[in-house]
Amino acid sequence: MNRDIILLRAVEVAALATHKYIGKKDKNLIDQAAVEALEVILKNEKDFRLKVVNGEGELDEAPMLYVGQILGDLQNPDAKIYDMSVDPVEGTYPAAYNFAGSVAAIAISRENTQLQLPEMYMEKLFVSDEFRDLINLNKGIVEVVKDMQIFSGRRDLKCIILDKPRHNNIIEKLSEMGVIVRMIQDGDVLAAIDVVNGEADFVYGIGGAPEGVLMAALSIASGCKMQSKLVHYKTIWENEKETELRSQIENAWLEKHNIDENTILDDLDLISDPRARFFAAGITAGGSLKPIDYKNGKFYVNAFMASHGIARNIKSVYDIKKVNALKPGIKSIFDKYKR
């Protein structure tokens, strides 16, 4: 079967598996369901393998797809290997509490093309294809937005930004400039999908670094553009008990890769493959990607994929009885995680 269809199905079934626990206020149960679904879908596929470069859960002991794990055709040493960054539930908190902001997401590229990032923060600017030649984080976000306004002849650009105290000043400045600011609680990967789908002009803010690789894949695959800079944990959480240990880990990584907090990382610095692919499926979703739904034995899921400058929004219906009969490998997931 076509590899892209398999990966699309993987994120869709990961989303379906979480449905049982949406709103149950347990992030780990949601994550565990999605992880198991991804493993079930991918473990029996033939002719390709996926190496996890950026996984999830290392710090909080959540169920995880760990860095270095291999999924796919493990019995075939000649099966082609791809790098994979994965977040089975990007936005576990909104999924656990049933508000907008969660998706299942995968990014793949050729082997040894993805940068493995530490669990630190990252300043990210993701712009639509209209503004891809104007992006320049060295100038700062305000000057870049001014350039975008002049180029487009519009003051009322649409921005999506995480509603966090660290962004209060920039939210105020952008609003004063005439920018329409849409604030979200979680989910900058989901917000970037909205930019690709024309719901916003850009996403800006400081969020998780590993998620930046997913956004970079989306940027490359869709023809948009992204730049980023790593941000130390202590910059955001100066007095937390884990700050010192986190800083030691971050500094070791930065020294190893000859990168510092002033280094501008282009999307192709994070994934050096112009043929990178991106896949996502809505859980509680939001914006242009709708949340998962269930009715009368059928799951309704909205998914998204991008590659080679083509973005596809896909509505799928999973009839449980029919799927169980035709795809017994998936039946175990439906049986275990039925609502």
Side-chain angles (χ1 to χ4, degrees):
M1 180 180 288
N2 180 279
R3 179 194 59 227
D4 288 354
I5 295 299
I6 294 168
L7 293 170
L8 181 66
R9 179 189 294 161
V11 292
E12 288 179 339
V13 175
L16 302 185
T18 69
H19 190 259
K20 179 178 181 178
Y21 301 119
I22 291 174
K24 301 296 185 182
K25 302 181 181 181
D26 191 322
K27 297 191 296 181
N28 280 0
L29 283 177
I30 283 191
D31 214 26
Q32 181 179 353
V35 167
E36 183 174 352
L38 287 174
E39 290 177 333
V40 166
I41 293 297
L42 295 173
K43 70 179 181 180
N44 293 319
E45 296 303 335
K46 303 300 181 183
D47 301 325
F48 71 92
R49 290 175 286 170
L50 302 168
K51 178 178 67 177
V52 178
V53 177
N54 291 285
E56 46 81 47
E58 288 86 345
L59 289 179
D60 57 9
E61 298 182 355
M64 59 182 172
L65 295 168
Y66 57 86
V67 173
Q69 183 177 2
I70 305 292
L71 300 171
D73 193 351
L74 303 183
Q75 305 304 316
N76 180 6
D78 297 322
K80 190 171 183 178
I81 298 179
Y82 296 89
D83 282 357
M84 177 173 68
S85 289
V86 57
D87 204 337
V89 183
E90 203 275 319
T92 51
Y93 183 84
Y97 287 82
N98 197 15
F99 62 81
S102 61
V103 296
I106 287 175
I108 70 163
S109 60
R110 289 176 296 148
E111 187 180 13
N112 299 324
T113 59
Q114 294 189 19
L115 182 63
Q116 181 187 339
L117 289 172
E119 287 278 354
M120 58 190 302
Y121 282 90
M122 176 179 275
E123 179 185 9
K124 292 171 270 191
L125 175 59
F126 185 108
V127 303
S128 69
D129 57 350
E130 179 182 2
F131 302 112
R132 57 174 292 116
D133 295 330
L134 300 177
I135 191 170
N136 184 355
L137 266 182
N138 276 323
K139 298 175 69 172
I141 181 62
V142 170
E143 293 304 314
V144 173
V145 172
K146 286 180 181 178
D147 290 344
M148 292 164 62
Q149 288 176 319
I150 293 170
F151 177 81
S152 65
R154 294 183 287 125
R155 294 183 72 244
D156 59 346
L157 300 177
K158 294 181 179 180
C159 165
I160 304 175
I161 188 167
L162 291 171
D163 186 11
K164 306 291 184 183
R166 57 183 177 268
H167 296 144
N168 286 347
N169 289 338
I170 190 60
I171 290 171
E172 183 177 351
K173 288 180 181 179
L174 291 175
S175 297
E176 290 173 353
M177 293 166 63
V179 174
I180 299 171
V181 178
R182 182 179 123 208
M183 290 179 284
I184 57 174
Q185 294 299 314
D186 289 273
D188 48 4
V189 174
L190 178 58
I193 294 174
D194 277 357
V195 171
V196 176
N197 281 334
E199 298 289 327
D201 295 296
F202 65 99
V203 175
Y204 174 77
I206 297 172
E211 290 83 0
V213 180
L214 291 168
M215 292 172 68
L218 174 58
S219 173
I220 294 165
S222 65
C224 293
K225 197 63 184 174
M226 174 183 163
Q227 285 187 348
S228 59
K229 292 194 292 186
L230 289 166
V231 177
H232 286 287
Y233 185 83
K234 66 181 179 183
T235 302
I236 310 299
W237 306 107
E238 183 177 0
N239 299 314
E240 296 297 308
K241 62 181 181 180
E242 67 266 30
T243 296
E244 183 177 352
L245 176 60
R246 296 276 295 251
S247 295
Q248 292 174 4
I249 295 171
E250 291 171 358
N251 290 333
W253 186 93
L254 293 168
E255 182 177 354
K256 175 182 177 181
H257 292 277
N258 195 29
I259 292 172
D260 62 30
E261 64 273 17
N262 296 312
T263 304
I264 300 294
L265 296 168
D266 194 76
D267 45 21
L268 287 167
D269 293 321
L270 299 180
I271 302 182
S272 57
D273 182 3
R275 294 175 292 179
R277 288 165 160 80
F278 175 87
F279 307 84
I283 299 176
T284 57
S288 60
L289 199 62
K290 304 306 179 186
I292 190 171
D293 196 11
Y294 174 82
K295 186 177 180 180
N296 296 332
K298 296 179 181 179
F299 281 107
Y300 299 83
V301 59
N302 277 234
F304 175 94
M305 62 178 290
S307 66
H308 299 85
I310 303 167
R312 294 179 172 91
N313 290 275
I314 301 159
K315 296 181 180 180
S316 299
V317 180
Y318 280 69
D319 185 311
I320 295 176
K321 288 184 178 180
K322 292 179 180 178
V323 173
N324 283 347
L326 297 171
K327 296 292 293 182
I330 300 179
K331 183 177 185 299
S332 62
I333 293 297
F334 285 165
D335 286 347
K336 184 171 182 178
Y337 294 112
K338 61 185 176 183
R339 187 76 180 192

